[in-house]
Amino acid sequence: MNRLFRGIIFVLHASFRSRRDLIIENLVLRQQLSTLKAERPRPRLTTVDRLFWVMLRRIWSRWASALIIVKPETVINWHRAGFKTYWRWKSRKKRRGRPRITSEIRELINQMRCENPTWGSPRIHAELLKLGFDISERTVSRYLRPRPSGRNARQSWKTFLDNHREVIAAMDFFTVPTATFRVLYVFFVIHHDRRRVLHFSVSASPDTDFIIQQLREAFPYDSAPRYLILDRDTKFSRKVMGTINSMGIEAKRIAYQCPWQNGVAERWVSSVRRELLNHVIVLNEAHLRRLLKEYVAYYNEDRTHLTLEKDTPAIRLTTPRPDDKAHVISLPRVGGLHHRYVWRKVA
């Protein structure tokens, strides 16, 4: 009875509809049915399918009621995308404005900005003109990255270190565990120019008086550098800073969580751990002091450095072969962990 009633309603509804609507709706349903019958896991609409629905939307007002496999919003988006594509194709020969610059020029602009913090777009534009690039100054300013704020805009930390390394020293602490799980603190001072370790000391509980005494031993008489780099450790108190200033030294604290700004000291700590401490078990304070004394002597006088053009901090002279019978011998350093090689004449 229910089916009969629904069938009567469908026939009555269809009798009041125009023949044009019935034909179009039949065409729409057949088109979607053919798409759904495609042998794919998921029906995919082709360009022809999209074009069909876009054109149908323009000529039939009831197009949305017949949709099954897509949403009306999807058809509208297709129409907008087609409109953009059409106008892009139509205006392809009427483009105006400056041509886009290549990625090579963009990278070159930012390279000049990074390497020359004080340069603006006029200077960079002038350099590009000298290289034969036809580009406007306004384009250069458009592709410049924002200039960093604060003191880095005037002079980078790296530039400061490079320009003043002859008068810069750095100090820092590092810890060493012993065999009995005590923690010992190693204080050291290193010069930037030749990477020479000027002074070191070991303590189980370094306080302000300990640090002040080590500074006096590191810089006797008039040997104090102009700048001293240090981190923001609480052990470097106001009293320590006052002592540094009284010695005629300008203290330069590094930024928070920026160990690279004290890179010379950090690299020395890395060398000590890699070349000495990772191979020994420290027994006590006296043992660590003896090991470090031997290593510092080896580091300053025998160990070559890439940053010093493969020379030592204390300037190790080249020794040519004295005669044809001379042979090379090895001199153990740091208990045999490292060696120095020299010529020896045959008696």
Side-chain angles (χ1 to χ4, degrees), residues 87-100:
W87 276 105
R88 191 180 300 116
W89 170 81
K90 188 174 182 180
S91 59
R92 66 189 185 282
K93 295 182 180 179
K94 299 180 181 180
R95 289 182 179 177
R96 294 292 183 268
R98 299 186 183 92
R100 297 185 64 180

Side-chain angles (χ1 to χ4, degrees), residues 28 46 66 103 113 164 228 299:
V28 167
T46 63
S103 58
R113 162 59 71 83
H164 301 87
L228 182 63
Y299 182 90

Side-chain angles (χ1 to χ4, degrees), residues 17-295:
R17 295 172 61 183
S18 65
R19 183 175 180 79
R20 175 176 174 271
D21 286 346
L22 289 173
I23 293 175
I24 293 176
E25 183 175 0
N26 188 36
L27 177 63
V28 167
L29 295 175
R30 285 179 176 276
Q31 192 274 340
Q32 293 179 92
L33 184 60
S34 63
T35 304
L36 289 172
K37 286 183 177 180
E39 294 182 0
R40 295 190 183 97
R42 181 180 178 182
R44 297 181 181 179
L45 297 177
T46 63
T47 304
V48 176
D49 297 326
R50 296 187 181 94
L51 184 60
F52 169 81
W53 281 103
V54 169
M55 297 302 297
L56 183 65
R57 176 175 174 266
R58 298 175 63 90
I59 63 174
W60 187 35
S61 60
R62 297 183 62 253
W63 62 276
S65 62
L67 279 172
I68 297 176
I69 60 176
V70 294
K71 297 180 180 179
E73 294 82 3
T74 305
V75 178
I76 295 174
N77 290 335
W78 290 344
H79 184 264
R80 290 174 180 172
F83 182 77
K84 291 180 181 179
T85 304
Y86 168 73
W87 276 105
R88 191 180 300 116
W89 170 81
K90 188 174 182 180
S91 59
R92 66 189 185 282
K93 295 182 180 179
K94 299 180 181 180
R95 289 182 179 177
R96 294 292 183 268
R98 299 186 183 92
R100 297 185 64 180
I101 65 174
T102 62
S103 58
E104 176 189 10
I105 300 178
R106 291 197 298 271
E107 293 174 1
L108 190 57
I109 289 172
N110 289 290
Q111 177 185 347
M112 291 181 178
R113 162 59 71 83
C114 294
E115 295 176 348
N116 307 277
T118 60
W119 284 17
S121 54
R123 288 287 303 275
I124 296 176
H125 178 242
E127 287 293 325
L128 291 174
L129 291 179
K130 293 299 181 182
L131 293 173
F133 292 106
D134 185 14
I135 186 175
S136 69
E137 183 179 330
R138 186 173 181 181
T139 302
V140 172
S141 61
R142 182 182 304 169
Y143 285 96
L144 278 179
R145 293 173 183 168
R147 187 185 298 275
S149 59
R151 299 182 64 182
N152 289 335
R154 297 189 298 271
Q155 184 183 50
S156 68
W157 184 265
K158 183 178 183 301
T159 304
F160 169 78
L161 297 179
D162 290 340
N163 291 338
H164 301 87
R165 61 185 180 184
E166 293 84 1
V167 291
I168 294 179
M171 69 176 183
D172 204 353
F173 278 93
F174 67 92
T175 58
V176 179
T178 67
T180 57
F181 302 109
R182 289 184 62 199
V183 177
L184 299 177
Y185 293 84
V186 179
F187 173 86
F188 68 94
V189 180
I190 185 170
H191 202 281
H192 271 221
D193 185 23
R194 297 290 303 179
R195 306 298 198 266
R196 185 181 181 89
V197 179
L198 302 177
H199 180 74
F200 80 92
S201 187
V202 180
S203 175
S205 56
D207 54 10
T208 299
D209 294 335
F210 170 82
I211 298 175
I212 292 175
Q213 180 60 32
Q214 302 313 311
L215 288 173
R216 290 170 180 166
E217 295 179 11
F219 307 123
Y221 308 110
D222 296 328
S223 61
R226 182 176 178 183
Y227 302 102
L228 182 63
I229 297 177
L230 62 155
D231 58 23
R232 297 181 178 272
D233 196 323
T234 55
K235 290 190 288 292
F236 301 137
S237 61
R238 288 187 178 182
K239 190 175 180 180
V240 172
M241 300 303 292
T243 302
I244 293 173
N245 294 332
S246 67
M247 299 174 70
I249 305 174
E250 183 177 344
K252 294 286 185 180
R253 288 188 181 270
I254 65 175
Y256 288 101
Q257 298 181 352
C258 292
W260 65 268
Q261 293 182 350
N262 200 6
V264 174
E266 294 289 339
R267 280 192 291 271
W268 188 75
V269 174
S270 176
S271 298
V272 173
R273 295 192 185 281
R274 184 177 62 253
E275 300 176 359
L276 173 63
L277 298 177
N278 290 348
H279 305 278
V280 298
I281 298 176
V282 176
L283 302 178
N284 49 40
E285 186 174 329
H287 184 213
L288 177 60
R289 196 183 301 273
R290 179 181 65 81
L291 290 174
L292 288 176
K293 184 178 180 180
E294 294 181 10
Y295 180 79

